[in-house]
Amino acid sequence: MAKLKKKIALIFGITGQDGSYLAELLLNKNYIIHGVKRRSSSANTERIDHLFDSVNFDNKNIFIHYGDISDGTSTLNIINKIKPDEIYNLAAQSHVRVSFDIPEYTADITALGALRILESIRILNLKKTKYYQASSSEMYGLVKNKNSLNELTPFHPRSIYGVSKVFAYHTAVHYREAYGIFASNGILFNHESPRRGPTFVTKKIVQGLTRIQKGIQKKLTLGNLYAIRDWGHAKDYAVSMWKILQYKKPDDWVIATNKENTVKSFINSVAKKLSMNIKWKGKGLYERGVDQNSGKIIIDIDKKHFRPSEVDFLKGNYSKARKYLKWKPSITTEKLIDDMIEAELSKFD
Ligand code: NAP
Ligand code: F7E
C-alpha cells in the first residue's frame, strides 16, 4: 500500500508559548515541522527542547532554521526552500504594554512581518500553501457593546500592538480576496499555560504568589486589577489553529471560552488554591493585598504597569468555531490555574 505523504508545516514563532504547543500537536499528527527561530544572545528554545527527545517524538520530523520576519529576504528564502503545505504565523512582539515603549519595532514585526510572509507566498506562487494569521482579541480594543464579541464586531484597537494586529488581519483578508491565497485569521482571546511568558499577568501572579508562599519573594507589584479577560488554555487554542487550516475554505474565527474574569478574581483564585488568605484594602493606586496569616502587604500597585489606554473588557463568542470547526475549549479556568500552579511548585521539588 502506498504511503501517505506527510504534511509539511512551517511555524514562525515556534519558540513561543503557542508555537511549542502547536509543534507538539502537529508532530503527534505525523507532520514534518519546520520552525523559525531568531538569533538571540541567550537560549530561546526552552519551550521546544523536549521535542528533540527521540523517546517521545520522532526528531527526524522537526527542523529549526534561523530567520526573522523583520528580514524579508530570509523569510522568502525559508518559504521557498520548504514550500510548506501550511504556514502558521505566530511570530510577534506580543506584549501589549511593551508596544507603548517600542511602537515602531512592534509594527515592523507584528504588522509588516505578516505582510512579508504573505508577499513571499504570492511571489513564489505557492497556490497550495495555507496561511494562518495569529490575530488577537486585542483588535477589539474599545468595546461599546459588552455582549460577547464575535467575527462581526468592529475593531477599535487601543495599543500599537492591537493596531498592528488589525493591519495583519486585513492583510490576510486582502491576500485571500486579491490573490486567492488560503489565508485565515484565528481571533484568539487570551490564552495561558505553564509556558506563558513571565511578564504576562497570569504567569506573573502564579509565579509571584508561589514564590511568596515559599518565602523567596516578598511582594507582587501589579497594575490594573479590574480589567476583564476571557482566559483559555494555550493547549486547547493550538487545536483551533490546526482546525482553522483544515476547514474547507479560508475564513476568520473567534476562539475564546466565553467566560469573563477580572485580574483580581484571578489573583483570589490562585491565592485560595495556595491556601493563602488575601484581604484587600484601599483603592486605586493605594489598593493593597494583605496576607491574613502574616499581616504583611504582599500585593501592591504601581502605575508603571498601567497602559496609557486599556482594553477594559474582553469576552468572546466562539459559536461559529463550535458550529463549523467543531471546536470548543476543553480546559476550564480552574484547571488552567491548577496546571500553572503545579508547574511553578514543581520548580521547588
Ligand atoms: P510569545 O510567547 O510571545 O511568542 C512569540 C514568538 O514570536 C516567539 O517564538 C518569538 O521568538 C517570536 N518572534 C518574535 N519576534 C520575531 C521576529 N522578529 N522574527 C521571528 N520570530 C519572532 O507569544 P504567544 O503567546 O505564543 O502568541 C503567539 C501569537 O499569537 C503571537 O503572534 C501573539 O501576538 C498572538 N496572540 C497571542 C494571544 C495570547 O493570549 N497568548 C492571544 C491572541 C493572539 P523568541 O522566543 O525568540 O522571543
Ligand atoms: O494583561 C492587566 C493588564 O499582559 C492582561 C497577549 O498575549 O492577550 C495578551 O495581552 C490584563 C491587562 O495580556 C499587570 O492591564 C494588571 O488588562 O497578561 P496581559 P494582554 O494585554 O491582555 C492578548 C489577547 C494578546 O494578543 C497579547 O499578545 O492584566 N495587568 N497588572 C497587568 N498586565 C501585565 N502584563 N502585568 C501586570 O503587572
Side-chain angles (χ1 to χ4, degrees):
M1 204 166 66
K3 259 189 168 178
L4 275 181
K5 192 177 159 281
K6 287 185 178 181
K7 277 197 189 169
I8 301 173
L10 172 60
I11 306 176
F12 289 93
I14 195 168
T15 56
Q17 171 187 254
D18 292 6
S20 65
Y21 284 112
L22 180 66
E24 262 169 29
L25 178 85
L26 298 183
L27 282 174
N28 283 324
K29 288 189 181 295
N30 216 16
Y31 275 60
I32 298 201
I33 313 273
H34 293 264
V36 175
K37 75 163 184 173
R38 58 186 177 149
R39 152 74 191 146
S40 136
S41 61
S42 44
N44 60 355
T45 55
E46 192 191 347
R47 295 184 180 104
I48 55 166
D49 285 338
H50 65 289
L51 301 178
F52 295 88
D53 152 20
S54 59
V55 177
N56 294 310
F57 297 99
D58 183 349
N59 57 16
K60 288 192 291 302
N61 287 340
I62 178 160
F63 305 90
I64 300 296
H65 310 261
Y66 274 112
D68 198 302
I69 57 167
S70 66
D71 178 341
T73 316
S74 75
T75 300
L76 184 131
N77 281 339
I78 289 169
I79 295 173
N80 189 28
K81 195 161 94 188
I82 295 159
K83 297 195 174 54
D85 298 298
E86 296 170 9
I87 296 181
Y88 294 87
N89 176 25
L90 312 182
Q93 189 302 90
S94 72
H95 203 284
V96 176
R97 175 68 193 83
V98 173
S99 78
F100 288 91
D101 301 328
I102 47 170
E104 191 178 326
Y105 175 79
T106 301
D108 189 20
I109 307 308
T110 307
L112 292 181
L115 174 68
R116 292 184 186 105
I117 299 172
L118 282 159
E119 256 302 88
S120 304
I121 299 173
R122 186 189 71 77
I123 292 167
L124 296 166
N125 201 21
L126 299 178
K127 297 275 185 229
K128 290 194 181 144
T129 300
K130 296 180 181 179
Y131 174 83
Y132 173 88
Q133 170 59 30
S135 287
S136 164
S137 54
E138 193 65 20
M139 300 188 304
Y140 294 116
L142 191 64
V143 174
K144 291 192 185 100
N145 180 349
K146 292 203 171 172
N147 288 323
S148 46
L149 311 166
N150 67 21
E151 292 81 2
L152 302 174
T153 308
F155 301 141
H156 185 143
R158 302 272 280 167
S159 62
I160 286 297
Y161 170 78
V163 171
S164 302
K165 285 289 185 189
V166 171
F167 175 92
Y169 170 94
H170 285 301
T171 303
V173 172
H174 171 65
Y175 275 68
R176 177 161 91 208
E177 292 175 353
Y179 307 115
I181 291 174
F182 191 116
S184 292
N185 285 290
I187 307 172
L188 272 52
F189 283 60
N190 296 54
H191 45 279
E192 320 294 310
S193 73
R195 299 183 197 165
R196 188 55 144 153
T199 60
F200 294 94
V201 79
T202 56
K203 180 74 170 189
K204 190 171 160 185
I205 292 165
V206 173
Q207 203 168 59
L209 290 184
T210 47
R211 283 181 181 173
I212 289 168
Q213 196 210 40
K214 295 283 178 190
I216 56 166
Q217 182 173 325
K218 288 203 169 102
K219 226 168 39 180
L220 173 62
T221 303
L222 294 164
N224 181 4
L225 299 179
Y226 296 95
I228 293 171
R229 288 292 181 272
D230 173 335
W231 279 297
H233 198 300
K235 205 170 179 179
D236 267 347
Y237 286 38
V239 175
S240 76
M241 296 175 192
W242 176 74
K243 287 195 161 206
I244 285 170
L245 288 197
Q246 310 318 305
Y247 192 61
K248 60 184 176 211
K249 63 181 180 64
D251 206 339
D252 310 313
W253 307 90
V254 163
I255 301 297
T257 70
N258 202 237
K259 302 266 184 318
E260 59 191 277
N261 277 291
T262 60
V263 172
K264 192 171 179 177
S265 66
F266 191 93
I267 300 172
N268 287 333
S269 301
V270 176
K272 198 168 160 204
K273 284 175 188 290
L274 287 169
S275 308
M276 295 166 94
N277 184 4
I278 297 176
K279 184 151 189 202
W280 294 95
K281 293 187 173 164
K283 280 206 164 122
L285 289 177
Y286 301 99
E287 187 156 9
R288 302 279 179 265
V290 180
D291 177 12
Q292 289 302 92
N293 299 330
S294 64
K296 287 185 180 150
I297 293 171
I298 56 166
I299 297 174
D300 66 1
I301 306 296
D302 190 320
K303 62 176 187 299
K304 79 176 180 205
H305 295 300
F306 285 74
R307 291 120 199 236
S309 49
E310 171 68 290
V311 173
D312 294 316
F313 173 86
L314 285 174
K315 183 166 96 165
N317 177 344
Y318 64 92
S319 309
K320 181 177 163 184
R322 187 178 50 211
K323 184 167 176 193
Y324 296 104
L325 300 179
K326 312 285 178 231
W327 179 89
K328 62 178 172 48
S330 70
I331 306 171
T332 60
T333 315
E334 287 300 303
K335 174 75 173 73
L336 163 71
I337 296 175
D338 288 343
D339 272 11
M340 293 180 76
I341 291 179
E342 193 186 317
E344 281 315 309
L345 290 177
S346 72
K347 293 178 186 166
F348 297 96
D349 289 348

